[in-house]
Amino acid sequence: MILLPLPKWVKRESGNFVLGLDAMIVIGQSCPEGISVYAGMLWEEIAACTGFETEVTRGRAKRGDILLDFDGTLRAEQYRLEIGAAGVVLHGGSLHSLGYGVQTLRQLVRQYAGLLPFLRIEDEPDFEARGFFHDVTRGRVQTLPNLKKLADTMAFYKLNQLQLYIEHTYLFRDMPELWRDETPLTSGEILELDEYCHMRGIELVPCLASFGHLYKLLSTRTYERLCELEGSAGQEFSFWDRMAHHTLNPVDPKSAELIYDMIGEFMQLFRSDKFNICADETFDLGTGRSREAAEKQGKEQLYADFVSGLFDYLIGHGKTPMFWGDIICGSPERLKAFPKEVICLAWGYSEQQQDTEIRTLHEAGTKLYVCPGTRGWNHWVNQLRHSYENIRRMCGYGRKYGAVGVLNTDWGDYGHINHPVFSVPAMIYGAVFSWGNVRIDFDELNRQISILEFGDASGSLAGCLARVSDTAVFGWEDAVIMKEWAQKGRDAEEILQKFRVGGEGPFEQANRRAEDLLAELYRAGRQLDFRSRPVIACAAVALKAISVWNEVGKFYVKIGEAACRRAVNVRTVPGGGHASGEAAEGGILQDKAGTWKKDGALLADELERCLCHFKTYWRQNSKEGDLSKISEVFFWHADLLRS
């Protein structure tokens, strides 16, 4: 029996309940409004897993029915599930806890169909908020149907908060210059998603970059004057610069006025009483237009004053402010001046993450969320082992230091190239470790996820996906940085040097592992639920991308090493000539040049074919977003290879 997250108390008894053809899903008369959505979820699960349809009704349950009912003696987040000979009885202390019980029952139906084991479960979560934070700015803007699918998956694993990170990918009514070349989310889409989430027990919390990370906003002709650094408009796009610069100048009063207007418009779309202003990584603060003020007051005070104004604005409008704690952690004493309602988001993404910052923020008396990560950014497939270790640690720190929530982050640095399905195992890690203080081995958890989420009878799929990122040698980040350094006139030697120690061997070994892994995935695919089989195609595209980019890296190293040998072998001889060894080497290199050019052209073809497949799978779940900018990286390297 697999239940994710694992309930607090489970007692399995001998015997099985047989779900009869006449069984009904009965909603008790005292059930809160909204229970019909959960009853519908259960109805769909039973229909999919048994092949027959059970009616939903209200009133008193009969023998053999499934009863959903409210129990005022239970805590708001607590539910009790009993399966016995007389039927199935689920009680919850609120609509939300009834929803959690329904998800547990759905997981049982998914495994046992109409023959459910006798058992008793009593359960409730450790953390009040168990969230997922998804980047819809840095590359991938998922379509509304796919965002609803995300909410469905979250509900199934009892997550109850979703945040969508936005810088410029919302269609602000009076700011067309901000989104004119984007495919932004609209007010109608946000409103529909907010309603959809609410009906599934998920709080959709507005999240808007409001201080740093304002690349598109501060690159416009209208608002460039508010940027900390001058000359922000008209610059060539850079994945790196988009993340490293473009901080508001807090000294200019128009900066706050602009953000107040944006927050004021955006907050109206959400029923949540929270608002995340982000305010992280304000790298340029005090280095440009606010330099003089920073020298007088200090950068820390400039930062605190600006975010305090945003906090006051939000609280004045009935919202609880949230913000990332990376900047304020350097001067935690300033937290004491912030309103007590403010929630500080303490992030850290290392598999060896320490508790230093979380402890510091806790000791300052702030209300905390701990925020681990899915480790998908810059990778074709998420680094799931690293993610598992990071999430497990951070949830442990959250318990230790009294955090009120966990927010598992899914960033999209450098274009969000990883397919959304590859973040699902890491999302489930977050659900498991934020619900209860359990110890479950990485491989065993992946086996359970493979079976429960993907219908994989072999239990191997998630474990295979966890090994995919290990096959990347010349990764996406290397490809991006090499292009952007070259465009800035910087030599790529630093990038290539780290690959030259092992020569071509590591690339070849990695690609052999990728071939073996693809075969393993195909074998697992034969035992998947048919609805999950598209994940194999997504993994095949990712492995193809990894293999082709490895070949590109190997090619660069090969011709680079040859050029180095050429330079070493040049020996000047009397009369200005060269030694015969050098001449011979030169002849060999000249002969190889034609071969290299041919090989480079073939490799360029492979890059472009790979991109074609990638675009197909991107467009199945996402708007165009930064797809053109991702394509430009492929094209730049293809053109270089052909040269």
Side-chain angles (χ1 to χ4, degrees):
M1 180 171 63
I2 296 171
L3 295 173
L4 297 175
L6 186 67
K8 291 290 193 302
W9 184 82
V10 181
K11 184 178 181 182
R12 186 167 180 175
E13 300 171 342
S14 60
N16 296 287
F17 165 71
V18 179
L19 186 65
L21 290 173
D22 295 327
M24 302 185 80
I25 299 171
V26 181
I27 297 174
Q29 293 292 356
S30 60
C31 273
E33 185 179 354
I35 189 63
S36 58
V37 173
Y38 293 115
M41 290 180 180
L42 182 56
W43 180 92
E44 289 178 358
E45 197 73 49
I46 292 172
C49 297
T50 67
F52 59 84
E53 299 179 358
T54 52
E55 293 291 339
V56 178
T57 187
R58 283 186 178 272
R60 295 181 61 183
K62 295 183 178 181
R63 186 177 180 86
D65 285 344
I66 299 172
L67 173 65
L68 314 179
D69 208 357
F70 171 75
D71 184 344
T73 67
L74 297 175
R75 289 181 289 275
E77 297 289 289
Q78 186 181 22
Y79 71 91
R80 182 186 299 119
L81 174 64
E82 297 181 50
I83 303 176
V88 179
V89 179
L90 171 63
H91 284 108
S94 68
L95 176 62
H96 288 164
S97 59
L98 277 166
Y100 301 150
V102 165
Q103 308 310 331
T104 298
L105 188 50
R106 287 180 63 201
Q107 292 184 12
L108 290 167
V109 170
R110 187 168 293 189
Q111 295 168 77
Y112 298 101
L115 193 65
L116 301 175
F118 289 172
L119 54 71
R120 292 192 309 168
I121 291 175
E122 291 188 11
D123 197 17
E124 64 183 323
D126 286 356
F127 289 97
E128 174 186 327
R130 304 167 309 284
F132 189 68
F133 180 96
H134 179 61
D135 190 340
V136 292
T137 283
R138 296 172 180 175
R140 189 184 293 275
V141 182
Q142 291 194 50
T143 60
L144 180 59
N146 222 61
L147 290 172
K148 289 181 177 180
K149 183 179 176 182
L150 169 63
D152 288 337
T153 305
M154 290 178 61
F156 189 71
Y157 295 103
K158 306 184 180 76
L159 293 168
N160 66 351
Q161 188 180 114
L162 173 62
Q163 296 191 26
L164 301 178
Y165 174 65
I166 287 178
E167 293 173 13
H168 54 269
T169 48
Y170 167 69
L171 197 152
F172 287 94
R173 289 190 70 180
D174 298 325
M175 302 176 73
E177 191 181 4
L178 175 65
W179 43 257
R180 64 187 183 186
D181 59 343
E182 297 290 338
T183 49
L185 293 169
T186 66
S187 57
E189 289 172 325
I190 295 290
L191 286 167
E192 188 172 338
L193 182 62
D194 185 69
E195 177 68 18
Y196 192 86
C197 288
H198 175 70
M199 296 301 291
R200 284 152 184 79
I202 297 169
E203 181 182 14
L204 184 64
V205 176
C207 173
L208 186 67
S210 307
F211 200 169
H213 291 304
L214 291 171
Y215 166 78
K216 284 299 294 284
L217 179 69
L218 299 179
S219 294
T220 63
R221 295 296 179 188
T222 302
Y223 299 110
E224 64 174 322
R225 68 186 185 279
L226 299 181
C227 188
E228 179 69 40
L229 301 181
E230 296 185 11
S232 61
Q235 294 182 351
E236 185 175 18
F237 175 82
S238 161
F239 280 112
W240 172 257
D241 286 344
R242 175 167 74 180
M243 294 166 51
H245 299 298
H246 303 90
T247 297
L248 274 172
N249 169 20
V251 176
D252 191 328
K254 293 188 180 300
S255 293
E257 292 173 12
L258 172 62
I259 298 302
Y260 294 161
D261 287 344
M262 293 174 71
I263 290 175
E265 177 180 343
F266 196 52
M267 72 165 65
Q268 306 300 323
L269 307 175
F270 302 81
R271 52 170 45 86
S272 172
D273 64 352
K274 303 177 184 66
F275 196 108
N276 184 2
I277 64 167
C278 297
D280 58 317
E281 295 185 335
T282 51
F283 298 126
D284 296 328
L285 181 62
T287 63
R289 289 181 166 119
S290 70
R291 181 191 298 272
E292 185 177 346
E295 290 172 350
K296 292 179 180 177
Q297 304 173 43
K299 291 182 183 181
E300 297 82 3
Q301 191 61 49
L302 282 183
Y303 178 87
D305 288 346
F306 189 77
V307 297
S308 290
L310 297 180
F311 295 157
D312 291 342
Y313 177 84
L314 286 166
I315 292 169
H317 286 79
K319 301 294 183 181
T320 298
M322 308 175 83
F323 78 115
W324 298 107
D326 55 303
I327 303 300
I328 204 67
C329 192
S331 51
E333 69 282 355
R334 297 179 193 277
L335 280 164
K336 295 177 178 151
F338 291 166
K340 66 180 185 306
E341 298 95 330
V342 173
I343 297 173
C344 187
L345 307 172
W347 60 267
Y349 307 135
S350 170
E351 63 273 23
Q352 300 297 329
Q353 188 68 38
Q354 301 301 305
D355 67 351
T356 309
E357 291 188 0
I358 297 171
R359 184 177 66 250
T360 298
L361 294 168
H362 166 73
E363 290 172 351
T366 187
K367 190 183 295 184
L368 274 177
Y369 277 28
V370 291
C371 306
T374 64
R375 292 289 292 262
W377 47 92
N378 300 333
H379 295 281
W380 295 101
V381 174
N382 298 51
Q383 294 179 302
L384 293 177
R385 182 173 290 278
H386 297 301
S387 176
Y388 165 89
E389 293 292 345
N390 173 247
I391 293 168
R392 184 182 61 80
R393 280 175 176 261
M394 290 289 280
C395 289
Y397 297 151
R399 289 182 179 87
K400 181 178 179 179
Y401 294 109
V404 296
V406 174
L407 188 61
N408 191 9
T409 59
D410 186 34
W411 293 104
D413 305 12
Y414 294 2
H416 216 146
I417 57 170
N418 57 310
H419 192 283
V421 73
F422 299 140
S423 290
V424 170
M427 177 200 295
I428 299 172
Y429 301 160
V432 168
F433 292 121
S434 63
W435 184 273
N437 188 14
V438 298
R439 297 186 65 85
I440 182 167
D441 176 77
F442 176 68
D443 293 329
E444 172 58 20
L445 182 51
N446 282 334
R447 185 190 72 83
Q448 294 184 16
I449 290 170
S450 299
I451 295 170
L452 188 60
E453 174 61 23
F454 299 106
D456 173 21
S458 72
S460 64
L461 178 63
C464 289
L465 294 177
R467 301 201 302 275
V468 171
S469 63
D470 296 336
T471 64
V473 181
F474 188 80
W476 177 246
E477 183 176 12
D478 300 310
V480 170
I481 294 298
M482 185 171 174
K483 169 185 178 289
E484 295 188 355
W485 280 7
Q487 290 172 330
K488 293 178 181 295
R490 185 173 175 183
D491 199 330
E493 182 67 21
E494 287 180 45
I495 294 177
L496 295 179
Q497 190 59 41
K498 69 179 181 179
F499 301 113
R500 287 182 178 148
V501 176
E504 299 175 32
F507 298 99
E508 294 169 351
Q509 294 165 15
N511 277 0
R512 283 196 293 272
R513 291 199 305 273
E515 288 179 7
D516 293 342
L517 198 50
L518 182 59
E520 194 174 340
L521 281 163
Y522 281 147
R523 283 192 290 272
R526 294 181 300 194
Q527 301 188 64
L528 288 184
D529 183 291
F530 74 95
R531 290 167 296 186
S532 297
R533 291 185 178 179
V535 73
I536 302 299
C538 297
V541 171
L543 280 165
K544 177 66 174 178
I546 287 170
S547 298
V548 173
W549 281 109
N550 281 347
E551 289 295 328
V552 171
K554 183 175 80 171
F555 184 83
Y556 289 153
V557 167
K558 179 168 65 176
I559 63 172
E561 287 179 340
C564 288
R565 290 198 304 274
R566 169 84 169 100
V568 168
N569 287 329
V570 171
R571 300 192 302 277
T572 304
V573 296
H578 300 282
S580 58
E582 184 275 336
E585 176 75 6
I588 292 170
L589 288 174
Q590 191 171 18
D591 291 340
K592 285 186 175 181
T595 302
W596 287 339
K597 186 163 186 176
K598 181 179 178 181
D599 291 346
L602 292 172
L603 200 49
D605 291 348
E606 283 300 298
L607 269 181
E608 288 156 349
R609 290 191 189 97
C610 179
L611 176 61
C612 183
H613 293 301
F614 177 76
K615 286 179 175 179
T616 297
Y617 287 92
W618 175 287
R619 288 170 175 148
Q620 287 178 356
N621 56 68
S622 302
K623 303 183 182 187
E624 287 299 290
D626 280 348
L627 187 54
S628 63
K629 295 180 176 66
I630 292 168
S631 300
E632 287 169 7
V633 177
F634 277 80
F635 299 155
W636 185 88
H637 283 275
D639 292 342
L640 180 62
L641 290 165
R642 290 191 175 101
S643 71

